Amino acid sequence: MEPSKVAWGIEVGEFALKAIRLAMVGSEIHVTDFAVIPHQKVLSDPSVSDREGMIRVTLGAFVQAHAEQIASEPIIMSLPGNVGFARFATIPAVDAKTLRSMIEYEAKQQIPFPIEEVEWDSHVLPADDSGQLAIGIFAVTKERLHELLKLYAECGIEPDVLTLSSVAVYNALHFDLELENKPEPISCIDIGTNSSDLIVIANGKFWIRTFPIGGSQFTSAIADAFASQNVNYSRAEKIKLDRAPTEKILRARTMAMRRVTGQLVDEIGRSREFYHSANEGVDLNRAFGVGSTLKISGLRTKIAGDLQMTVDRLEEFKRIHLNGPDAADFAAHSINLLTALGLGLQGLGLAKVELNLSPMAQIRQKIWKSKTPWFVAAAALFVATSVAFFLRYALDQIELSKMSTTVARAENTIKQGKSLVEQLNQSQQSSGQMNVESNNLMNILKDRNVWSFLVSDTYQALASSNPDKSELGSSPEKILQIPAGDRRLVQLEEFSGSPSIDAATGLHKISVSVRVILTNKDPTRFINDANGVLDWLRTHSDRPEAPYTIDAKNLNIPKWVTVLDGKRSESLASSESTTSVSENMSESPAESAPKGSGGSALRKKDTGGPIQDSGGGFRGGLVSGDDTSSSSQNADGTDGGVEGGKASNARSKSKIKARPDEKLIAIDLNKEAPLPSAPNLILPGEKQFEGILTFTVTLKSPIPVVEPASESQ
């Protein structure tokens, strides 16, 4: 029996392209083809200078082998977790008409970019016992999406659907483990190359958190440890995945990976604790591990032991199999095809979450393309009808010249035919104009990545202060045990940039201003310490992947303002360049702070003292210090989560505006979901220091200014 429906699921990862072709025969799902094509080098290898070129080679090999199939069959592709982002919130249960407007409002609050600069989609989850609806909001910047689609199109691939890889993994797990009616909550730890996902499935709902730790960090740590033996990144990758190393190499490898392993365990534990705090009564004691990195000897045991939970590796699919000579090869690669399986299931209409982040212009273009045969058939029918009526008209004039009624009917039919032709021409012109407008919209998306790099660099620079783990936790008691003068947490209060153009070079510059607050007893020395905030900016001033360079010579140490018992006074030395300060410090150097990825909190201002780290990284918890911005953060400063957005309901009712033709339900959110007061973490007599750190960046290439074409006179 021939399959009634087929679909391709394709994942372009950092290590390899992974694809699977699924066919539905009746109610059964069969694997009819699959492919795992490694890149010439791992894309995260620092020696790779042309990522796109290497991806083109891999895609070209796949297209050459499957050109006939992918030309006519649906293709669903994934976006890596570190490219897109997911947010979760809760809203009151409302009618369908009001629901859409509330979701759009939540999207504008949750997405950390202007809504016009992203493609986004949403999914409504089942309501809880209190009648609150949980919603998931997923988005990707149009700039990054355009880059990927352009690259795929150059290789002859036009995906019908684009979705997040983490959502595809959830769809695959839900289908393969048959989780529809299972009450036991489970989680999945998907360790990718550059980032990892924690996916929680409980009570018919799901929750996703992505954090920037993956297999490439383990490989880099091994390469650094073995640098004296001339071990490059590729060799370090083989050492990492060696299942039977010598005792000496095993010991050295374990020591090299200890720091990254600790960071990974901390991020998983922090994500689980946050989910527990937002979902009382749900215990995550079991997890499935996905990804080649979990093949590292002892890593899974380390995670399970430190987090006191069972971690099982998914070794094979339960409901999906391949028969024939390739069965053994498929079984060996099946665990790395989990994302591709979820994509293929969505192509067959079997996904639990139907998510599509493809550009709207592309979706419209495909709809018009699918209707083209109907237009051709209509034109052909019109021609045939016109010929028949013209012939009949001529015969009637000769044979039945007196039958005026028949003549009138024929003339009327001709008019109708001409009207159909005119409608067809108008439809074709409208389609062409739509394509022109779509291309123009895509062209304005160039050079939009500068701001996201600035935000990310600021976050990583402040994170280099290496705060104690207790300072990033949710326990005020543990934080208060650390004297304020010994705390290492640097908080972001405000962040802004002022652009300018160098008249001589034509290069764009941005003067960045970062207002920070800290409690360390020697703020000037602390912020300029080795491996500290300013040292991070100097060290990373010029990187190939960044669209700008940081002017390391003009880094300014803030002029500090002391806040003591609510009173402010300027008590420290005025702003001076980092060069002069470094020279003064060389006579009595302070103790160097170790590097770490603990993460300084880039947070909104709070009158109750320092706020704890969101645990969300750049995608999970980064917000600006602008008091006018709105964010669905919980009381402990985190955001995200199915039940974790309740604090966002405390917004003033006046901010939700109804259209003239609709009415919103009157809800007093201050009574329904009051915000708890933040704990005061500064004791009487303890000082806080507030100051503004400034630096300048120069874009690496001039931004072209396209003047509109002048109208003809």
Side-chain angles (χ1 to χ4, degrees):
M1 180 184 298
E2 290 296 325
S4 58
K5 195 173 184 181
V6 296
W8 278 95
I10 303 175
E11 176 194 12
V12 181
E14 294 285 303
F15 181 78
L17 178 147
K18 289 155 279 188
I20 190 170
R21 183 178 185 265
L22 299 181
M24 179 183 292
V25 181
S27 59
E28 297 182 356
I29 307 300
H30 296 270
V31 178
T32 59
D33 199 355
F34 77 98
V36 177
I37 306 176
H39 301 301
Q40 294 175 342
K41 284 186 177 181
V42 181
L43 299 182
S44 57
D45 190 332
S47 65
V48 175
S49 59
D50 186 8
R51 285 173 52 92
E52 292 188 355
M54 196 165 293
I55 293 175
R56 287 189 184 94
V57 172
T58 306
L59 286 173
F62 173 76
V63 171
Q64 185 177 7
H66 305 87
E68 184 176 351
Q69 292 173 319
I70 64 176
S72 58
E73 296 173 351
I75 299 174
I76 293 81
M77 299 186 70
S78 66
L79 299 169
N82 59 345
V83 171
F85 43 88
R87 297 288 187 272
F88 296 86
T90 55
I91 60 175
V94 293
D95 59 84
K97 183 178 180 180
T98 307
L99 178 62
R100 180 60 187 174
S101 62
M102 294 190 71
I103 291 177
E104 290 180 355
Y105 179 81
E106 282 293 334
K108 292 179 180 179
Q109 307 304 313
Q110 298 280 356
I111 297 174
F113 295 96
I115 198 69
E116 299 82 7
E117 297 180 6
V118 299
E119 294 288 351
W120 66 279
D121 200 355
S122 62
H123 180 76
V124 180
L125 300 168
D128 56 19
D129 296 336
S130 64
Q132 294 285 314
L133 283 176
I135 58 173
I137 298 172
F138 312 90
V140 61
T141 61
K142 291 181 179 180
E143 179 182 18
R144 184 58 177 142
L145 200 61
H146 176 68
E147 292 174 354
L148 292 174
L149 289 175
K150 180 181 178 182
L151 177 60
Y152 298 157
E154 290 174 355
C155 300
I157 297 179
E158 295 185 4
D160 296 272
V161 175
L162 286 170
T163 185
L164 295 182
S165 59
S166 54
V167 175
V169 170
Y170 164 72
N171 285 330
L173 289 173
H174 191 278
F175 175 84
D176 196 54
L177 301 180
E178 299 181 279
L179 301 177
E180 184 65 37
N181 298 314
K182 290 187 177 180
E184 178 187 1
I186 67 168
S187 58
C188 174
I189 302 171
D190 184 3
I191 303 178
T193 304
N194 290 326
S195 61
S196 299
D197 298 312
L198 178 64
I199 305 169
V200 179
I201 307 171
N203 300 326
K205 304 176 183 179
F206 74 102
W207 179 82
I208 298 171
R209 179 175 179 260
T210 302
F211 42 89
I213 297 178
S216 63
Q217 282 84 351
F218 286 93
T219 306
S220 296
I222 294 173
D224 292 342
F226 287 84
S228 61
Q229 302 178 34
N230 295 324
V231 173
N232 58 16
Y233 189 93
S234 299
R235 177 58 180 159
E237 182 74 18
K238 295 179 181 179
I239 295 175
K240 179 183 73 173
L241 299 178
D242 189 354
R243 302 301 298 272
T246 63
E247 182 178 354
K248 181 178 180 181
I249 293 179
L250 176 61
R251 187 184 305 110
R253 184 181 71 178
T254 303
M255 290 295 294
M257 297 190 307
R258 177 174 297 177
R259 179 180 61 83
V260 181
T261 302
Q263 293 174 356
L264 177 64
V265 172
D266 287 345
E267 288 290 351
I268 297 173
R270 185 182 304 164
S271 302
R272 188 177 66 164
E273 289 175 5
F274 169 69
Y275 183 82
H276 283 165
S277 66
N279 298 270
E280 296 182 1
V282 179
D283 293 327
L284 300 179
N285 299 319
R286 183 186 180 194
F288 290 98
V290 180
S292 299
T293 302
L294 277 177
K295 294 180 180 180
I296 299 176
S297 303
L299 179 58
R300 183 161 55 93
T301 304
K302 172 68 174 175
I303 297 174
D306 287 359
L307 298 178
Q308 296 183 355
M309 64 188 303
T310 302
V311 181
D312 299 319
R313 267 188 56 82
L314 282 175
E315 299 293 347
E316 60 181 3
F317 297 133
K318 299 183 181 299
R319 299 180 62 187
I320 301 294
H321 302 282
L322 176 67
N323 298 322
D326 296 329
D329 192 22
F330 177 76
H333 290 95
S334 60
I335 194 56
N336 291 322
L337 292 168
L338 191 65
T339 300
L341 172 61
L343 298 172
L345 290 171
Q346 182 168 346
L348 296 179
L350 299 177
K352 183 66 175 177
V353 177
E354 297 280 351
L355 182 68
N356 190 357
L357 296 175
S358 297
M360 187 58 64
Q362 178 176 314
I363 295 175
R364 292 194 185 102
Q365 184 178 6
K366 287 184 176 294
I367 293 175
W368 281 108
K369 185 177 180 180
S370 66
K371 291 183 178 181
T372 300
W374 294 98
F375 290 136
V376 174
L381 180 61
F382 163 72
V383 172
T385 305
S386 299
V387 171
F389 277 112
F390 274 119
L391 180 61
R392 177 64 181 270
Y393 177 76
L395 293 175
D396 284 349
Q397 289 294 321
I398 298 172
E399 302 294 337
L400 303 170
S401 58
K402 297 181 179 182
M403 296 182 65
S404 58
T405 303
T406 304
V407 174
R409 186 183 304 116
E411 291 176 346
N412 184 51
T413 303
I414 293 173
K415 291 180 180 179
Q416 293 179 356
K418 292 180 178 179
S419 176
L420 290 174
V421 172
E422 183 178 355
Q423 293 178 20
L424 175 61
N425 292 334
Q426 291 177 351
S427 298
Q428 292 173 339
Q429 293 174 0
S430 176
S431 175
Q433 179 63 25
M434 187 179 302
N435 291 335
V436 173
E437 294 175 354
S438 300
N439 292 334
N440 289 337
L441 287 175
M442 297 302 291
N443 288 335
I444 68 173
L445 298 179
K446 298 179 180 179
D447 300 306
R448 293 294 184 90
N449 62 336
V450 174
W451 185 252
S452 59
F453 265 95
L454 280 177
V455 174
S456 178
D457 283 358
T458 301
Y459 169 76
Q460 295 184 64
L462 297 185
S464 65
S465 65
N466 193 25
D468 188 84
K469 182 178 180 181
S470 299
E471 296 183 64
L472 304 177
S474 58
S475 172
E477 293 80 6
K478 292 183 179 180
I479 297 174
L480 289 172
Q481 290 177 2
I482 304 174
D486 295 336
R487 297 177 192 168
R488 305 186 64 85
L489 182 65
V490 180
Q491 298 180 111
L492 173 67
E493 290 290 288
E494 290 182 355
F495 178 86
S496 63
S498 177
S500 62
I501 301 178
D502 189 325
T505 63
L507 295 177
H508 285 227
K509 295 180 177 288
I510 300 177
S511 299
V512 181
S513 177
V514 183
R515 185 160 66 92
V516 298
I517 187 169
L518 51 88
T519 63
N520 193 280
K521 57 191 174 185
D522 191 351
T524 297
R525 183 178 297 276
F526 174 66
I527 204 168
N528 194 47
D529 203 353
N531 298 330
V533 176
L534 297 183
D535 187 59
W536 191 96
L537 292 172
R538 297 189 201 98
T539 304
H540 298 80
S541 61
D542 190 0
R543 292 158 295 151
E545 70 275 10
Y548 53 73
T549 58
I550 301 173
D551 190 350
K553 296 182 179 180
N554 290 327
L555 294 173
N556 290 331
I557 294 178
K559 176 181 179 181
W560 299 104
V561 175
T562 304
V563 181
L564 177 62
D565 296 334
K567 298 180 179 180
R568 302 162 61 88
S569 64
E570 298 186 7
S571 61
L572 298 183
S574 60
S575 175
E576 53 188 336
S577 69
T578 57
T579 304
S580 62
V581 172
S582 299
E583 292 172 353
N584 294 335
M585 292 177 63
S586 63
E587 299 177 359
S588 56
E591 181 180 357
S592 298
K595 288 185 177 179
S597 63
S600 298
L602 300 181
R603 306 311 307 275
K604 199 175 178 92
K605 184 175 180 181
D606 194 295
T607 58
I611 301 176
Q612 310 312 312
D613 178 34
S614 68
F618 173 55
R619 296 170 304 286
L622 179 60
V623 296
S624 71
D626 187 357
D627 291 338
T628 63
S629 64
S630 175
S631 174
S632 295
Q633 294 176 323
N634 295 315
D636 63 351
T638 58
D639 74 15
V642 174
E643 308 292 345
K646 292 183 178 179
S648 66
N649 290 334
R651 293 183 298 274
S652 169
K653 294 181 293 183
S654 63
K655 292 185 178 180
I656 303 179
K657 297 182 179 179
R659 296 192 303 269
D661 59 342
E662 71 173 9
K663 295 182 179 179
L664 294 179
I665 301 174
I667 299 175
D668 191 343
L669 296 182
N670 290 323
K671 292 182 179 180
E672 295 290 337
L675 282 173
S677 59
N680 190 358
L681 303 179
I682 302 299
L683 299 177
E686 293 182 332
K687 296 180 180 179
Q688 285 182 295
F689 300 99
E690 181 179 319
I692 298 178
L693 169 66
T694 61
F695 60 93
T696 302
V697 300
T698 302
L699 303 192
K700 293 182 177 179
S701 60
I703 300 178
V705 178
V706 180
E707 298 293 340
S710 60
E711 298 182 358
S712 59
Q713 300 296 325

